[in-house]
Amino acid sequence: MSDVTTTPPVPLDTADDVPASRTAGGPRSWWWRELRPLLLRLHFYAGILVGPFLLVAALTGLLYTITPQLEQIVHRHELTAPVPPGASALPLATQVSAAVAALPEGTVTEIRPPRATGGTTRVVFDAPGTPPDYSRTVFVDPYTAQVRGTLTTFGEWLPVRAWFDEMHRTLHLGDVGRLYSELAASWLWVLTLSGLALWLARRRRTRRVRRTLLPEGGEPGRGRLLSWHATVGVWATLGLLFLSATGLTWSHFAGDNVTTLRSALSWSTPDVPTTLPTPVAAGAAATPAPALPDAAQRALAVARAHGMTDPVALTPPDGPGVAWQVQQVQRSWPEKQDAMAVGLGATPDGDALAHQVRFADWPLAAKLARWGVDAHMGLLFGPVSQVALAALALGLLCMVVWGYRMWWLRRPPSGGRGGPVAGAPGGARRPGFGAVLTVAAAAVAVGVFLPVFGASVLLFLLVDAVRHGRGAPERAELSSV
């Protein structure tokens, strides 16, 4: 490992030795000469200070990519049922009755028939003693109506996937832990774009545009690490921007703002109305309400008669005048998200379709949001999405580690001034006042929508100003890109 106390500093790229007047663009690039020092510092400070959060997010995200297969292994008994030769599934009412008998203290909130042959029926309950946002799910053999097991679930996630999901989102620290993932997602796009701009500008000035997508060879050292760090970042740019944008939708502060914006622009996911029209509700009220197991079977029959295909989830009404909701739940390509509201006993024939919302009729923005979330979770294209997400997580892990290694190789001599971030890049030139003001204004504007990001950018500007105000030494030979 190189030691700056005995090893001469790594020379600058030739571009950094070229006077500003001789660089590509000449006088027209004045704005870049003003902005570049600040952009270098921004990339450096964010990499040093936000790097640990990105490492944790990438590592937990990488582990999450294997949870679909892990879930099938760990919970195989609950998820599968032996198929007797020549047997057919029992009526859904019989299966639901068995689940209710197994958990009589619970209230049924959702029913999911098997997705495929050999699967089990899930009956989800709101039960006493269940943690907030979690449920108790009973798994029933559709051929024998025997209960295969009962698990505490988070949405459709079984315990294994729910544990890794919570680890990735909050580190199991609740709302406080959500700040870590919001900070990582808020800065990921900034690090990606700033690094891309710096690397492309460097390659352009050194007339190595053709080598932008390929790492440098040569002896091991900081220059080679920089080449790999930047090249992987270029290849991963679109994926990292996608993860940042979609990850913010789950964040605490920014996520609420995203939801508000989508609602204001009518980009929200359409919900099927479950309030029954007055004539339908009156007819349903005049008919004795069927028991829940029988009602579930009838609601499913109506939905299937109107073209609803598996896999589906049935949601019971939560009061009088409310319909059963039957919603498709396929989140792999092609997605199936049609929804229907079914009123029971609402016509002389018994039941009626009250409302329906087809996925094909969703606004484009709502479809994009659905696809984006499902792709982020590795659901949209199944194993293909998982492999792509794993590759992005590995790439991000490598880039952060390489970034720390580059900083370590160029650290000041032992006892040097500057504190834990000594050796910050930017050369001898300090950022222009206009560049600082521009970044500050942008931080305030973006910070209204991304509060954690805006606050952290302003903190960076303050730290940088205090550091240089105290005359912290700079080393002109150091440059991060």
Side-chain angles (χ1 to χ4, degrees):
M1 179 178 66
S2 301
D3 191 338
V4 295
T5 61
T6 60
T7 303
V10 178
L12 285 174
D13 194 303
T14 55
D16 297 314
D17 294 327
V18 178
S21 61
R22 293 174 53 193
T23 57
R28 291 176 298 176
S29 60
W30 64 268
W31 62 271
W32 178 249
R33 294 197 304 272
E34 294 294 317
L35 181 62
R36 181 177 179 273
L38 185 60
L39 202 59
L40 281 167
R41 287 176 167 83
L42 184 68
H43 195 78
F44 171 82
Y45 281 116
I48 292 292
L49 302 178
V50 184
F53 300 96
L54 291 173
L55 277 174
V56 172
L59 181 59
T60 56
L62 178 63
L63 294 174
Y64 180 81
T65 62
I66 66 172
T67 55
Q69 288 73 27
L70 189 61
E71 187 177 69
Q72 293 293 323
I73 296 173
V74 174
H75 301 297
R76 181 177 180 81
H77 180 76
E78 290 83 5
L79 291 172
T80 60
V83 183
S88 58
L90 296 171
L92 183 62
T94 303
Q95 303 173 49
V96 175
S97 295
V100 172
L103 197 65
E105 69 276 15
T107 301
V108 176
T109 59
E110 186 178 82
I111 301 166
R112 295 196 177 203
R115 300 176 67 97
T117 302
T120 53
T121 296
R122 303 187 190 191
V123 183
V124 183
F125 292 82
D126 182 8
T130 306
D133 300 325
Y134 282 75
S135 305
R136 293 287 287 170
T137 300
V138 177
F139 298 81
V140 180
D141 185 330
Y143 307 101
T144 64
Q146 294 181 344
V147 174
R148 301 280 291 176
T150 302
L151 298 173
T152 299
T153 55
F154 178 72
E156 61 183 292
W157 302 151
L158 275 58
V160 165
R161 199 185 309 201
W163 191 90
F164 281 101
D165 177 77
E166 186 71 14
M167 172 64 73
H168 181 58
R169 291 186 300 111
T170 71
L171 301 180
H172 293 280
L173 296 176
D175 287 340
V176 174
R178 292 179 68 184
L179 293 177
Y180 115 83
S181 57
E182 182 164 359
L183 185 66
S186 296
W187 274 98
L188 180 57
W189 66 274
V190 178
L191 284 167
T192 300
L193 292 179
S194 62
L196 180 66
L198 292 166
W199 183 245
L200 292 180
R202 180 189 182 103
R203 285 310 203 196
R204 177 172 176 264
R205 290 196 304 269
T206 56
R207 294 174 175 81
R208 296 179 182 177
V209 175
R210 295 181 180 178
R211 299 297 304 277
T212 300
L213 300 179
L214 297 175
E216 297 283 358
E219 294 295 325
R222 182 177 170 276
R224 184 173 167 181
L225 282 174
L226 171 60
S227 176
W228 277 95
H229 174 89
T231 301
V232 171
V234 170
W235 282 99
T237 293
L238 291 180
L240 295 178
L241 293 177
F242 166 79
L243 290 180
S244 176
T246 53
L248 285 171
T249 63
W250 284 291
S251 62
H252 184 30
F253 298 105
D256 291 343
N257 290 335
V258 170
T259 300
T260 302
L261 177 63
R262 289 182 59 190
S263 178
L265 297 177
S266 299
W267 290 355
S268 300
T269 301
D271 292 323
V272 62
T274 54
T275 301
L276 293 171
T278 302
V280 177
T287 305
L292 185 138
D294 293 328
Q297 182 168 320
R298 288 168 56 180
L300 181 59
V302 171
R304 284 179 170 163
H306 286 82
M308 180 72 74
T309 58
D310 289 331
V312 299
L314 295 90
T315 303
D318 56 6
V322 179
W324 276 78
Q325 179 177 323
V326 185
Q327 166 82 48
Q328 287 181 317
V329 290
Q330 179 168 307
R331 299 170 68 180
S332 58
W333 192 267
E335 291 212 353
K336 296 180 179 180
Q337 296 290 318
D338 292 355
M340 297 182 181
V342 178
L344 302 182
T347 70
D349 296 328
D351 308 322
L353 177 66
H355 305 281
Q356 63 177 321
V357 174
R358 300 284 185 180
F359 183 64
D361 298 328
W362 283 24
L364 178 60
K367 290 181 179 179
L368 292 174
R370 175 79 277 166
W371 293 330
V373 168
D374 292 342
H376 188 113
M377 301 177 74
L379 301 173
L380 188 59
F381 298 108
V384 174
S385 293
Q386 292 176 255
V387 171
L389 290 172
L392 284 172
L394 285 171
L396 183 56
L397 284 170
C398 290
M399 284 188 289
V400 174
V401 172
W402 289 333
Y404 277 114
R405 177 60 176 162
M406 287 187 290
W407 170 65
W408 181 261
L409 287 176
R410 69 158 189 211
R411 70 196 188 283
S414 178
R417 296 163 56 194
V421 292
R429 182 181 180 84
R430 295 184 179 180
F433 178 76
V436 175
L437 186 62
T438 299
V439 171
V444 172
V446 177
V448 173
F449 194 73
L450 307 178
V452 173
F453 168 73
S456 55
V457 171
L458 293 177
L459 180 61
F460 148 71
L461 293 173
L462 178 62
V463 170
D464 193 59
V466 170
R467 181 173 180 272
H468 289 292
R470 292 179 176 178
E474 296 185 3
R475 299 173 61 198
E477 72 271 19
L478 295 179
S479 176
S480 65
V481 286

